Amino acid sequence: LRRGLAQAGVPVGFAATEQALRDEPAIRPLLQATRALLEESTLDQPDVVAELLQSVGRADSLQLRRIRQELARQTRGVDDVLRAALEDPDEVAETMRMSLPEPVLRLAGVLRAGREVLRDPAATAESLLWAIWQATGLGQRWQAQALAGGPAGRRADRDLDAVVALFEAAARFADRLPGAGAMEFLTRLEAQDLPEDTLAAHAPAEEFVTVATPQGVAGREFELVVVAGLQEGVWPNTRLRGSLLGSTALVDVVAGRFDGFGRDDPQAVRAARTEVLHDELRMLYVALTRARRRLVVLAVSNADTVPSPFLDLIDPLEGADARPVVPAPRPVSLAGVVARLRGLLLASDVGEGERLEAARQLARLAAENVPGADPREWYGWAGLSDTAPLALAEEEGGRPVRVSPSAVERFADCPLRWLLDRSGGTPPAPATVAVGNLVHELAEKFPEAGASELREELHRRWPEIGLPPGWVGERLLARAEEMLGRLAHYRRHEQGVVVGREVDFRVRIGEAVLAGRVDQLEMTPEGRFVTVDLKTGRSAPTNEDVKRHAQLGAYQLAVESGAFRGHRLPEGVDVPARLEPAGSSGGARLVQLGVERKGGVRLQDQPPLRADPDPDWAAELVGAVAEGMGGASFSATVNQGCRHCPVRSSCPAHAEGRQVGQ
């Protein structure tokens, strides 16, 4: 609302209940980075470093967990590696032969910019903050978001205002206390509990519109009051406050108002909702009684929302007469203006003169870089950026396409999803993936351990996952213990003769290079290799689907192509009486560690390729996948995985992704 009024040329003010500058969300990262530069010892505190990686490095909680897991593989402690990386990332990357995660590099760059300023004895709080602000790169991002409008634009607009206020405060501090340093300014700012006064120019008190909540205008009066957004579900909002953690019940107990009913009791729920409704009514009363002369109440009625029942309290209906409905105009914003002009330009019932004027106005807006005004940004205008295939043929100077067994399965399910995943479209892996990786590591490093030994090692290494204390971590830990129990059962009762674990392979097959890693390689009594894949997911394919399981078929094809010819039986194991020719596959197996099954672990076996009616199906599949991976077009294929696909919003096979084109 404030942004729309401002873009319409209406001066906008705020209620007097602004928060202190130090509490502005946009300011906190700058103050944290400043504190870390002025007091280097703060980087020795893991909690401070984690907060800096999130606020300045823009890492979410999952990325932060993955950073700690990646650095935990080094010989030095995680916190020591992080401290060294923030001081000199290039040296750490060269010494440890690893590429540091992007949030670490981003934070290190911000700290480096601040240290360069501090080398100057005449550095001020304003110059230090400016160097930090420039290094974060947030200015251009927030500016683009603010110009684009919408909820994100309003938040970016407020954040930019807060940053400007911070620099105004730093400039005033330097004017008042020229000899004071950045630490004095930081200490003074963090000690303020009230909003700081400002010398910035404001509109006259009688010539601006105040935008505020009912609480923000308590005790004040205005000639005209507009109560906007009186919608069902918004006002009143009867959702129980603090229902998840029971904070309101705790307050009642402490205050001696506990009535003896639990929060799950229907009578207690009704009482709580009644109390919330009364609070909403009190806020409405405060808003309505701020008007001296005129009161305007706005509500929207359309297919998606209906007016609030509170509207009947303000303006009761008489008989069956309905309130007059006024068509809502387009939003008073740049986006609304652009939409209106584009509609006129493309409408069929508009005169040539009006269409020409719309084109002129769009050209003016495009010259000012208003989003959406330039036709080159319109959907369907831009052509393909590149029509060349991803991989050149070998006769054209290219290389063979590298295909992994897991990629064969993903590409066979949906080529477009494989491409988007490969291009960075996959979101950060959830905690369940980290748990599955840990189970695989324990299975490799402790090949002879039983259930108790595996669980003991699991508890020792569990902090590496980085989950905070709570029921989520406890549930995942219990699930990991169950999977290790099934692994121990498989080793005792089902496992064949193990030839190797976590075995890497690479073999040339036609125009492709099939490369990957087998969780476990076993040998049958006849001397054939069986590839075993340990699965930690909750779901499993049907036994019928396993017969043509793409990943297992690729493993068998690698065996048949001689990828494991160098592997022999371990010492102490009897050699089979009659060995099959080197490279014979005895089938493949899925061991479902993550699927519950009474009395053991679920096993799903794929017969040897030679036993299939079409023994060449795996070779044909790998060849087709390699050709498709190196091609120039990738089709979207609807399958069962579409329900939880992370790139569904970019898939033209579904309604939410059709805007990306075919």
Side-chain angles (χ1 to χ4, degrees), residues 303-375:
D304 299 322
T305 183
V306 296
S308 166
F310 281 177
L311 195 60
D312 295 331
L313 299 177
I314 303 171
D315 180 25
L317 290 174
E318 296 181 1
D321 296 335
R323 297 186 185 90
V325 178
V326 179
R330 289 188 177 272
V332 185
S333 64
L334 282 176
V337 172
V338 170
R340 170 64 176 166
L341 293 174
R342 287 174 60 173
L344 291 174
L345 189 64
L346 301 176
S348 58
D349 57 347
V350 174
E352 190 64 27
E354 192 173 2
R355 183 180 291 109
L356 184 60
E357 180 61 25
R360 290 196 187 99
Q361 297 300 330
L362 281 173
R364 289 180 56 194
L365 294 175
E368 298 296 331
N369 296 322
V370 174
D374 193 329

Side-chain angles (χ1 to χ4, degrees), residues 14-15 52 78 85 112 121 209 246 263-264 291 297 311 372 383 506 599 610 636 655:
F14 292 95
L52 283 170
V78 175
R112 183 189 299 113
V209 175
R263 63 178 180 177
D264 295 330
V297 179
L311 195 60
R506 183 182 181 89
R610 67 185 67 183

Side-chain angles (χ1 to χ4, degrees), residues 31 125 129 166 169-170 173 180-190:
L31 299 183
L129 285 170
L166 174 65
F173 179 81
M183 178 58 76
E184 287 81 357
F185 171 74
L186 185 64
T187 303
R188 180 178 180 275
L189 192 66
E190 292 179 342

Side-chain angles (χ1 to χ4, degrees), residues 29-30 32-33 48-60 63-64 67 86 101-111 135-136 138 141:
L30 302 179
Q32 289 170 341
V48 174
V49 175
E51 192 170 359
L52 283 170
L53 285 172
Q54 290 180 303
S55 60
V56 180
R58 303 198 294 272
D60 56 34
Q63 287 177 316
L64 187 62
I67 290 172
L86 296 179
E102 188 62 29
V104 176
L105 295 176
R106 192 177 293 121
L107 175 57
V110 171
L111 297 178
T136 60
L138 294 174
R141 293 181 58 206

